Amino acid sequence: MRGRANAGNTMQNRILTIIFHEPIHMTTTLLPTSLVGSYPQPDWLIDRAQLSHRLPPRVRATDLWRVAPEFLEEAQDDATILAIRAQERAGLDIITDGEIRRESYSNRFATALEGIDLDNPAQVVARSGKLNFVPRIVSKIRRKHAVEVRDIQFLRANTDRRVKVTVPGPYTMSQQAHNDFYQSEEDIALDYAAAVNEEIKDLFAAGADIVQIDEPYMQAVPDKARQFGLKALNRALEGVKGETAIHLCFGYAAMVANRPSEYQFLAELADAPVNCISIETAQSSLDCSVLAKLTGKNIILGVLDLSSNEVESADQVAARIRRALPYIGAERLIVAPDCGMKYLPRDVAFGKLKAMVAGAGLVRAELGDRQLASQSA
């Protein structure tokens, strides 16, 4: 690891210690590739065995970290650099920070808000059917300060490619909390949405190219999503200027074995104020005809099955991409894994990413050949 920065350094100076100045790479590649969000954290940073044998934390789970608190930020920075470089070496066009600083996709942001009693969490039944500790809401939800701005500044400083950052969605956070204050779940979701809105605007100002809202509970609890989830999403994106995405999934492959072949909540997003919709298709063998209902949206298409450590071939990945093409133009597709890559061994994750990039290249070449043949006809 690098030596410790001087204690007097500011947060910005710490970021600048590893900055390199290169022009930002603006990809115009057909079928660009990206992570959904996460990438495996190193064993020296986090207890991966414990992580994989417990439900995704909804409250803070500081016991997972192997590094002493006074060295944790530096260690997380170093591990983030490794995740960035792995994505670059695999050939990804859009880079995330791998969510290396997070114990789960949602708990870091959700527990940083005002209105939560961190000392007295509640227990609720998770979407898996098991009990899990969740934040207890005891007063009005407000954002006290930026939560992920330093993360995107660090990412932006350490790659010349397009960068994406994820935030937990307001509807999902409302379903992952116990309410001891509000009159209705809708009111909870709308206040979470106001906090997310402030965060998203700050993330774009700090250099994000894409901000993705993670809303898995829209698929898990679709009836309430129709009642007030879309309203909360609209509030979260109110006045936002920048490329936005929303991610819906069936749950982590490491924890949810059986997947439906269709989404219970997806077509409802056709008129939502987002540019991209991120979905899983690999493990579920999703019926991609639903994409025909999402005209005007770009699709982040999950094409890596994360329920297995077997690394796909480029041909397998290409076949999964082709399944979508009858229903959506290739110019509207971004190629990605299914979600939950953080639970894979690092070598397996890297191998899968390389296969994904190669598979996208195969389809890209096929489409180019067709275009040339059409022009020659």
Side-chain angles (χ1 to χ4, degrees):
M1 292 184 191
R2 303 181 310 276
R4 289 290 285 173
N6 291 335
N9 282 0
T10 64
M11 183 178 294
Q12 186 65 26
N13 285 339
R14 176 159 167 70
I15 295 169
L16 290 174
T17 61
I18 54 171
I19 192 169
F20 61 87
H21 296 280
E22 295 285 349
I24 294 174
H25 173 62
M26 299 299 290
T27 180
T28 56
T29 302
L30 187 68
L31 300 174
T33 52
S34 175
L35 288 177
V36 173
S38 71
Y39 192 73
Q41 295 147 305
D43 273 306
W44 53 258
L45 179 67
I46 202 165
D47 187 336
R48 291 181 54 79
Q50 187 185 164
L51 180 72
S52 65
H53 288 99
R54 66 190 293 175
L55 293 173
R58 307 303 182 208
V59 295
R60 294 312 302 264
T62 56
D63 58 304
L64 286 171
W65 300 106
R66 294 187 185 274
V67 179
E70 63 269 28
F71 300 114
L72 183 56
E73 181 181 82
E74 182 178 12
Q76 290 171 337
D77 285 351
D78 290 337
T80 298
I81 292 292
L82 294 176
I84 293 168
R85 296 293 171 258
Q87 293 170 74
E88 292 174 336
R89 287 189 295 115
L92 298 193
D93 300 290
I94 302 165
I95 307 296
T96 79
D97 71 350
E99 300 179 359
I100 298 298
R101 299 175 181 85
R102 307 187 198 186
E103 296 141 8
S104 76
Y105 72 96
S106 63
N107 73 327
R108 185 160 169 261
F109 184 85
T111 57
L113 302 176
E114 185 178 319
I116 302 298
D117 183 351
L118 296 177
D119 297 324
N120 296 288
Q123 271 194 314
V124 302
V125 177
R127 64 188 295 190
S128 64
K130 299 178 181 178
L131 285 173
N132 202 7
F133 284 102
V134 300
R136 184 186 298 274
I137 302 172
V138 294
S139 62
K140 186 176 177 62
I141 296 292
R142 294 186 179 91
R143 192 184 76 145
K144 295 183 287 187
H145 52 73
V147 181
E148 300 179 21
V149 164
R150 182 183 181 276
D151 303 353
I152 194 63
Q153 290 172 334
F154 189 92
L155 175 60
R156 175 73 284 158
N158 285 283
T159 186
D160 62 347
R161 304 188 191 188
R162 298 192 76 210
V163 294
K164 180 176 80 169
V165 63
T166 66
V167 294
Y171 175 72
T172 289
M173 286 191 287
S174 76
Q175 302 303 296
Q176 293 179 347
H178 176 81
N179 174 34
D180 281 343
F181 176 75
Y182 285 91
Q183 294 298 311
S184 73
E185 287 185 279
E186 180 175 329
D187 290 342
I188 299 171
L190 289 174
D191 276 355
Y192 273 124
V196 171
N197 180 265
E198 293 174 9
E199 186 78 6
I200 290 174
K201 289 175 179 176
D202 284 348
L203 290 170
F204 278 122
D209 294 306
I210 305 168
V211 177
Q212 176 179 295
I213 298 175
D214 289 337
E215 282 286 14
Y217 273 69
M218 284 189 170
Q219 160 63 24
V221 191
D223 291 342
K224 291 181 182 179
R226 295 183 186 100
Q227 292 170 24
F228 59 85
L230 285 172
K231 184 176 181 180
L233 178 64
N234 289 342
R235 174 64 184 90
L237 293 168
E238 189 175 290
V240 169
K241 293 178 173 59
E243 186 175 347
T244 55
I246 184 171
H247 171 71
L248 281 75
C249 66
F250 299 114
Y252 288 135
M255 301 177 183
V256 182
N258 299 317
R259 303 293 184 97
S261 61
E262 62 181 9
Y263 276 86
Q264 298 302 306
F265 188 96
L266 192 61
E268 291 87 345
L269 294 170
D271 296 323
V274 292
N275 305 101
C276 308
I277 299 174
S278 172
I279 61 171
E280 300 181 297
T281 73
Q283 186 185 353
S284 64
S285 298
L286 187 79
D287 178 2
C288 290
S289 63
V290 69
L291 300 180
K293 300 178 181 179
L294 299 173
T295 56
K297 303 296 184 190
N298 292 337
I299 299 297
I300 302 172
L301 191 76
V303 296
L304 293 178
D305 182 352
L306 305 188
S307 67
S308 168
N309 286 347
E310 180 181 350
V311 174
E312 288 90 339
S313 68
D315 288 332
Q316 285 177 299
V317 173
R320 291 169 183 165
I321 297 171
R322 293 188 199 104
R323 292 174 55 243
L325 294 178
Y327 310 107
I328 184 172
E331 71 282 356
R332 290 170 48 208
L333 285 179
I334 298 169
V335 179
D338 283 2
C339 81
M341 184 160 268
K342 70 182 292 175
Y343 291 100
L344 293 180
R346 291 167 72 194
D347 60 334
V348 171
F350 184 70
K352 283 178 174 282
L353 289 186
K354 289 181 67 177
M356 184 179 78
V357 170
L362 289 177
V363 179
R364 193 180 303 122
E366 292 169 5
L367 295 172
D369 289 344
R370 289 179 197 169
Q371 185 176 18
L372 287 174
S374 175
Q375 291 171 350
S376 301

